[in-house]
Amino acid sequence: MQIFNTLSRRKEEFVPLNEGKVTMYVCGPTVYNLIHIGNARPMIIFDTVRRYLEYRGYEVNYVSNFTDVDDKIIKKSVEEGIPAAEVSERYIAECKKDMEAMNVRPATTHPLATQEIGGMLDMISVLIEKGYAYAAEDGTVYYRTRNFKGYGKLSGKNIDDLEAGHRDIQVTGDLKEDPLDFVLWKPKKEGEPYWDAPWCKGRPGWHIECSVMAKKYLGDEIDIHAGGEDLIFPHHENEIAQSEAANGVPFAKYWMHNAFLNINNKKMSKSEGNFFTVREIGEKYDLQVLRFFMLSAHYRSPLNFSADLMEAAKSGLERIVTAAENLRRLSAHAKDEPMSEEEAVLYAASEQYVEKFEAAMDDDFNTADAVAAIFELVKFCNTNASSDNSRAFLNALSERMDLLCGVLGIITEKEEENLDAEIEALIAERQAARKEKNFARADEIRDQLTAMGIILKDTREGVTWKRA
Ligand code: AMP
Ligand code: ZN
């Protein structure tokens, strides 16, 4: 499996630090608002990377933080007259709802910056002891950038060019030794959340948070560190400087960055005001469509969001879901027979789409080609599956389709089908209750079904149902 590594600027064979295991850290959102569809891109992409690594047999420890202390969160808390923690808690809960609707699985751990202050104080102390950081007069702790020899290796920036750029914009009264130095800890301002620290009461800088959370939950050396490409500099460059100076070992083996999502061919950003929240898109589309849209492009290519492309994604997804649903329906009514020889040959032929899918995903997670392989499988199923086939054949094709869709996080069951399953489970429970002479429970279930618009009919063959 090949991964494009931002650090080496080329595709590399993926070899994890420990056989069979992958440690992965993805920078999460700052929670002061509902997430926008740009934030959704890394969530969907790296969730898909995780699913594919699992499909390939790796055990993945996936960590993604929430930045829950930040100027924007504080600003919102002042505007609303509520504590900063209330703002971040609210938007973490909302973000989790959006993730679920996009079928983004929860991380193994979702650490919160505010719960990890102790680790940050420890790492900052180590950096000071090693000469990589210093406390200024006002208690601000800065990282001594020039002391870290590898500075610029991720972003490809040259430290002297950076210095020249910074000198022009240096602010007077700055207590830094060097304009390139960045903040690890800063003094509190009136009304802001703060923690006690040896240097001053204050709060951490953004970069130190991720270095500390990655170390605590994944270790000093990790396999994959990921995020949007805007994070390469300075955020990830600074994370490397902090972690490698403090821990004395390479930080992440592979650095992955998704390209940006644009709107009408313009960079989508909150400051420009040209963005949609995931919630807004969810009012118009099932968020599976948004997921499918994101996967239709390679993650390192810029992706343009437009109504036309969303409509195309919607019909593409529908084609897949309809084919999957068709296989299940055919199977439900099929002869309960093993595969015929002819069917076995056909089934073996469908293996080529799995191979295409894997080849695409092995090539730096080319989801666009992986989706194309699924479409070929859809066409194959539509051509070769009919009511004449054995159940074994239809089930095998259905499982193959669901397996590939599952790797991309595409749900092939229509909501209505899920509802059908729920109704049938309730009916079974009612039958069991009646058998146990628990008529109160049986009536309760009937009422529940009535409220759902379901009409039950007791017949000699059992209970049948229909929608009112
Ligand atoms: P933030 O809350 O701004 O720190 O962003 C959280 C994640 O979303 C980061 O990985 C960003 O790189 C990513 N991100 C923000 N805007 C976009 C966008 N328009 N397209 C793709 N990724 C984005
Ligand atoms: Zn980060």
Side-chain angles (χ1 to χ4, degrees):
M1 186 188 308
Q2 302 263 310
I3 296 187
F4 182 90
N5 191 349
T6 309
L7 191 58
S8 64
R9 292 165 195 80
R10 59 182 179 83
K11 284 185 198 167
E12 289 176 36
E13 185 61 27
F14 179 64
V15 184
L17 293 160
N18 294 300
E19 208 185 320
K21 294 199 165 138
V22 179
T23 46
M24 186 166 175
Y25 187 92
V26 183
C27 293
T30 307
V31 278
Y32 65 102
N33 220 329
L34 291 174
I35 58 163
H36 58 65
I37 54 176
N39 301 134
R41 191 170 190 195
M43 284 178 184
I44 292 167
I45 292 301
F46 298 117
D47 175 66
T48 307
V49 168
R50 172 196 196 178
R51 286 170 188 263
Y52 188 64
L53 289 166
E54 288 179 352
Y55 170 81
R56 280 296 194 194
Y58 293 107
E59 189 187 305
V60 184
N61 190 348
Y62 187 97
V63 175
S64 190
N65 68 298
F66 287 113
T67 300
D68 64 342
V69 55
D70 170 87
D71 288 343
K72 298 186 204 99
I73 298 173
I74 294 166
K75 185 165 167 262
K76 185 115 183 178
S77 85
V78 171
E79 279 166 13
E80 294 196 11
I82 53 171
E86 213 170 295
V87 173
S88 57
E89 275 165 29
R90 180 201 305 160
Y91 290 111
I92 287 170
E94 298 299 343
C95 178
K96 288 184 172 171
K97 282 188 214 160
D98 287 337
M99 285 170 63
E100 195 184 338
M102 297 186 294
N103 203 23
V104 169
R105 280 165 52 201
T108 316
T109 314
H110 279 292
L112 305 181
T114 55
Q115 305 300 311
E116 308 293 343
I117 303 292
M120 296 178 207
L121 300 181
D122 290 346
M123 192 179 276
I124 296 170
S125 301
V126 169
L127 289 170
I128 293 176
E129 273 162 38
K130 290 189 169 184
Y132 283 104
Y134 58 94
E137 242 169 70
D138 66 347
T140 307
V141 183
Y142 291 102
Y143 187 92
R144 198 173 266 133
T145 304
R146 275 211 175 261
N147 273 19
F148 183 68
K149 292 297 162 243
Y151 198 79
K153 64 182 172 183
L154 182 72
S155 54
K157 290 188 193 293
N158 175 302
I159 201 157
D160 292 317
D161 295 346
L162 283 171
E163 184 97 56
H166 271 266
R167 207 166 279 134
D168 299 340
I169 53 160
Q170 192 175 7
V171 251
T172 46
D174 210 330
L175 299 167
K176 292 177 185 181
E177 290 175 358
D178 185 307
L180 281 184
D181 295 351
F182 60 87
V183 172
L184 300 176
W185 187 263
K186 56 184 158 198
K188 77 176 178 97
K189 290 196 199 122
E190 197 47 45
E192 289 185 358
Y194 68 90
W195 291 265
D196 283 326
W199 317 288
C200 65
K201 288 185 194 315
R203 62 188 169 99
W206 173 35
H207 317 302
I208 196 75
E209 297 173 6
C210 288
S211 280
V212 166
M213 291 185 269
K215 179 182 171 80
K216 175 165 172 188
Y217 294 98
L218 299 172
D220 290 357
E221 287 187 81
I222 66 173
D223 290 303
I224 301 173
H225 194 128
E229 66 183 3
D230 57 322
L231 301 186
I232 298 174
F233 187 85
H235 185 51
H236 289 163
E237 197 70 76
N238 291 354
E239 278 191 47
I240 293 177
Q242 297 163 157
S243 295
E244 298 195 353
N247 303 331
V249 290
F251 182 28
K253 208 171 164 190
Y254 304 89
W255 286 87
M256 295 180 71
H257 294 100
N258 64 272
F260 256 48
L261 181 73
N262 300 320
I263 284 196
N264 298 327
N265 294 312
K266 272 206 272 181
K267 184 169 169 168
M268 193 187 79
S269 79
K270 277 198 183 150
S271 51
E272 301 265 330
N274 63 337
F275 67 90
F276 290 113
T277 61
V278 168
R279 212 46 74 80
E280 283 168 324
I281 299 305
E283 282 166 14
K284 212 163 162 219
Y285 293 97
D286 181 339
L287 288 172
Q288 289 297 303
V289 176
L290 183 66
R291 183 176 184 112
F292 190 68
F293 159 77
M294 298 278 186
L295 295 171
S296 65
H298 190 271
Y299 76 93
R300 283 188 294 110
S301 307
L303 177 57
N304 192 47
F305 182 87
S306 70
D308 286 354
L309 289 173
M310 278 297 279
E311 286 302 320
K314 188 180 171 195
S315 57
L317 180 62
E318 237 159 47
R319 221 161 91 216
I320 297 173
V321 171
T322 305
E325 194 186 27
N326 191 36
L327 288 173
R328 279 192 293 273
R329 192 178 42 79
L330 287 172
S331 158
H333 300 102
K335 293 167 282 190
D336 198 6
E337 281 173 4
M339 258 191 237
S340 69
E341 256 173 57
E342 206 180 313
E343 286 176 333
V345 171
L346 267 178
Y347 179 63
S350 75
E351 177 77 30
Q352 62 178 301
Y353 308 115
V354 179
E355 285 162 12
K356 274 194 184 174
F357 178 91
E358 289 176 356
M361 293 299 279
D362 280 344
D363 182 15
D364 191 32
F365 307 98
N366 190 337
T367 54
D369 284 0
V371 166
I374 293 182
F375 277 130
E376 287 186 50
L377 178 61
V378 163
K379 196 168 164 211
F380 179 91
C381 293
N382 290 347
T383 314
N384 294 297
S386 75
S387 51
D388 297 334
N389 289 118
S390 69
R391 181 167 294 156
F393 175 72
L394 294 164
N395 283 351
L397 279 185
S398 172
E399 275 166 29
R400 183 152 275 175
M401 182 89 91
D402 289 351
L403 181 70
L404 301 190
C405 289
V407 174
L408 299 184
I410 299 169
I411 299 169
T412 61
E413 271 172 23
K414 284 199 175 154
E415 257 171 51
E416 206 172 87
E417 276 187 278
N418 289 335
L419 202 59
D420 285 2
E422 195 186 320
I423 291 163
E424 267 149 32
L426 279 171
I427 293 172
E429 194 190 334
R430 177 170 167 266
Q431 294 297 86
R434 290 216 296 195
K435 224 179 206 166
E436 287 164 12
K437 306 219 177 322
N438 184 352
F439 297 109
R441 176 68 190 139
D443 287 347
E444 205 177 272
I445 294 172
R446 178 183 273 271
D447 291 346
Q448 192 180 339
L449 287 163
T450 308
M452 288 164 80
I454 305 302
I455 300 168
L456 296 182
K457 200 169 162 208
D458 291 304
T459 69
R460 215 175 300 155
E461 286 76 38
V463 180
T464 61
W465 62 275
K466 63 173 187 185
R467 290 196 161 84

